Amino acid sequence: MNAKISAGLLVTALLVTGCGGGGGGGGQSASATPKVGLITKTETNPFFVKMKEGAQKSAQANGMELMTAAGKFDGDNASQITAIENMVAAGVKGILITPSDTKAIVPAVKKARDAGVLVIALDTPTDPQDATDALFATDNLKAGELIGQYAKAAMAGKPAKIATLDLAPGITVGQLRHDGFLKGYGIAEGDPSIVCSQDTRGDQAKGQTAMENCLQKAPDINLVYTINEPAALGAYTALKAKGREKDVLIVSVDGGCTGTKAVKSGEIAATSQQYPLKMAEDGVKAVSEFAKTGKKASGYTDTGVTLITDKSVSGVEAKDTAFGLANCWG
């Protein structure tokens, strides 16, 4: 995998399905074409595939060369550090990164910024957030809050036995979504209605195992919050095996095409949809502007979130799955 990552840093990325053509620059020499780097948590997650697609599209539109790299797994900080170092050495004007370890990546980000490289976090803020020049991301607290509000209304006063299937310690996006869900539902951490919490790393198989563990601990669970839709589908599989899929409400975050289809089929009750293609497109535009004018992007840009469900509830604004499928990714 490391060799694959290194190789990917030496050429314009042409790895995204549906993106044809060569890298930016046309007839210009490679040295005359400004470079922008994209570093994602993994290569295979549809969220990051769509992010690459957005970056490639924007790089071609703005006459830039796109370099890409990714971790071997969600949480692989070492590969991301190596990618930053290689991209800086290659002379990129800016780096877009979805940090796997939001604290441990900060020293490498600082070195890149000290070298004059614009660094923009996509989707996941670093810790602290101002370790990067800018953040282009979903408001993950709001994404969690929306599904928390939905779940509260959908439960209609029924006492909740809640399982939270979370991401992993030390990743801000996971903590923000979790905290948002609790806020939207109107409970605090440690509330007795939370009967089980397990980490899944956003993986479907781990989500299934986590749900199996929770059902052993608390068989009467009736509400499941999941960090993303793969974890939600894993939970659904575990619930179905126990004959519980009809009487447990599952809510999630992401809005990928597979997840949105699961909302349409009723496997997931609702999800908060985010827009990775827009994050990457806007990030590349910001690096292009910096390369041309020296003006740096700064602060936080909210790239939007929409609650998707076909079972709307009073007081919570939502769009149906027709909208969700027209705007999904992966």
Side-chain angles (χ1 to χ4, degrees), residues 252-267:
S252 195
V253 178
D254 266 353
C257 296
T258 299
T260 304
K261 288 173 185 174
V263 174
K264 185 175 182 179
S265 68
E267 294 166 279

Side-chain angles (χ1 to χ4, degrees), residues 41 47 123-124 138-148 166-167 171-184 202 225-229 252-255 271-274 279 329:
K41 294 178 185 179
F47 186 88
D123 177 57
T124 305
T138 306
D139 183 338
N140 281 291
L141 186 72
K142 181 180 178 183
E145 191 172 354
L146 281 171
I147 59 168
D166 298 303
L167 188 56
I171 303 178
T172 51
V173 64
Q175 192 63 52
L176 286 166
R177 292 181 187 183
H178 176 96
D179 292 348
F181 170 77
L182 298 186
K183 180 181 178 184
Y225 153 80
T226 67
I227 179 64
N228 66 3
E229 290 142 8
S252 195
V253 178
D254 266 353
T271 192
S272 288
Q273 185 171 73
Q274 53 178 343
M279 293 176 200
W329 40 267

